[in-house]
Amino acid sequence: MPDWAVAVISAVGGLIIVWLVLLLILWVQQRRAGRNVDWRQIIRLVADVVVLLKRLIVDPEVPRATRWWLGGLLAYLLLPIDLVPDFIPVLGYADDAIIVAIALRYAIRTAGTPAIERWWPGTPEGLGSLLSLVGAR
């Protein structure tokens, strides 16, 4: 077997193993919490975060550097080019989630939680999930 074929098979096998491990971790965490994953709420949360970013970017009370940072984040999320392509299972969206968490954590530190709460378009449960995700609660 050629070396390139071994490398491709190894890479694909490694990605499948990582994907299965991540799914197992998510399943175990959900079992420990005693909840099921509601994919509709997750999709709603993503849409609410995009609206929140747009509102924070145009808010003159938010510091200019934070608005630039969030504008860059919004552009990164909307562009089809990613650090890890989205067609790679789990990892493709995990990099986006990590970058959003870092950017929103920065926004909360600089603009404050009241700005996030003021412009949050979704439910209070969604806001609680977002704030816990970024480590604000």
Side-chain angles (χ1 to χ4, degrees):
M1 185 177 291
D3 289 339
W4 66 267
V6 172
V8 168
I9 291 171
S10 298
V12 169
L15 285 173
I16 290 171
I17 289 171
V18 168
W19 183 68
L20 291 173
V21 168
L22 287 172
L23 284 178
L24 179 65
I25 291 169
L26 288 172
W27 181 76
V28 167
Q29 290 298 329
Q30 289 300 316
R31 297 288 299 209
R32 283 185 183 166
R35 305 180 274 191
N36 291 328
V37 176
D38 186 357
W39 293 105
R40 284 181 283 160
Q41 286 183 348
I42 291 173
I43 291 170
R44 169 73 192 240
L45 185 65
V46 170
D48 289 341
V49 167
V50 171
V51 171
L52 173 69
L53 290 175
K54 285 192 243 178
R55 290 177 177 177
L56 288 171
I57 290 168
V58 299
D59 184 1
E61 294 180 20
V62 173
R64 185 182 309 251
T66 304
R67 289 188 282 157
W68 279 96
W69 180 259
L70 293 175
L73 170 67
L74 189 59
Y76 173 77
L77 291 175
L78 295 177
L79 288 175
I81 300 170
D82 277 345
L83 293 175
V84 179
D86 290 339
F87 64 83
I88 297 175
V90 178
L91 298 177
Y93 292 105
D95 73 318
D96 293 343
I98 291 168
I99 290 171
V100 167
I102 291 169
L104 285 177
R105 191 171 199 162
Y106 172 75
I108 289 171
R109 273 198 330 262
T110 58
T113 306
I116 305 296
E117 292 171 346
R118 180 175 61 243
W119 293 115
W120 179 250
T123 64
E125 295 83 18
L127 177 62
S129 297
L130 178 72
L131 292 176
S132 66
L133 175 72
V134 300
R137 280 194 183 162

